[in-house]
Amino acid sequence: MLWGGTAVLSPEAILASGRGMDHCKSTRIVLVVGNDDFYNKLKDALADTTFALVQASTKHEAMKLLELLRAEIDIAIIELELANYHGWDLIRHLNLPPEMPGKFIATTSLYPELISRQVEELGVDAVVQKVMPPEEWRRTIEAVLATEENALR
């Protein structure tokens, strides 16, 4: 389903194509692990982009999506304040072999500066404030993805 310019995809829709996202190489898949309010704000922020959003609201849902779509996900944005510290647990799990390809952004309602070192030691590429203007979200995601592209050259 398309919402604004952003595709909001179900895992079934991605898998049903039989080729993952190969048919749509300009589309970058963003896994958003967080509550509905956070997801909707990101969806609004990325409305005029080619990012395709897939939501998981719990650690369990995120693990299932990663199992199904591991190769298709370009970046995961994980809300650290998931219930029972599941945001932290998910990040730890993603860095166990076989690690997930792609990039990670951790979000927090707290001051990111206070926890950035801890989270970055877990393999997260950026730690940001959960509430940011839409332009800043786009710039942050594009900058994190660009670091991967530069490393491949």
Side-chain angles (χ1 to χ4, degrees):
M1 154 169 87
L2 226 60
W3 190 91
T6 302
V8 180
L9 302 174
S10 70
E12 294 79 16
I14 295 169
L15 293 172
S17 71
R19 296 181 303 153
M21 290 301 292
D22 290 345
H23 66 285
C24 206
K25 290 217 182 280
S26 64
T27 301
R28 306 294 298 263
I29 296 185
V30 179
L31 171 63
V32 180
V33 184
N35 65 34
D36 288 342
D37 184 50
F38 176 62
Y39 173 76
N40 288 327
K41 285 180 180 168
L42 267 177
K43 184 170 66 172
D44 291 344
L46 301 175
D48 60 349
T49 68
T50 60
F51 293 113
L53 304 181
V54 179
Q55 182 191 19
S57 55
T58 66
K59 175 186 168 187
H60 179 71
E61 286 177 10
M63 297 303 297
K64 285 287 194 191
L65 285 170
L66 288 167
E67 215 173 275
L68 290 171
L69 305 174
R70 182 172 296 269
E72 282 83 13
I73 294 172
D74 294 294
I75 189 166
I77 301 174
I78 302 167
E79 188 178 4
L80 289 176
E81 285 94 4
L82 290 176
N84 300 317
Y85 300 101
H86 283 172
W88 289 87
D89 289 345
L90 180 58
I91 290 168
R92 281 187 200 96
H93 180 80
L94 292 176
N95 286 304
L96 296 174
E99 64 186 50
M100 182 191 142
K103 297 293 193 167
F104 303 103
I105 296 175
T107 67
T108 180
S109 308
L110 308 171
Y111 297 101
E113 303 82 29
L114 297 176
I115 60 169
S116 65
R117 187 172 184 171
Q118 287 176 293
V119 177
E120 287 170 357
E121 286 175 0
L122 294 174
V124 171
D125 299 285
V127 182
V128 297
Q129 188 75 29
K130 189 161 84 169
V131 178
M132 293 193 305
E135 320 76 59
E136 197 168 334
W137 267 115
R138 288 190 295 271
R139 278 194 305 268
T140 301
I141 293 168
E142 288 168 0
V144 169
L145 287 170
T147 61
E148 179 181 46
E149 291 166 4
N150 289 338
L152 295 174
R153 292 182 188 158

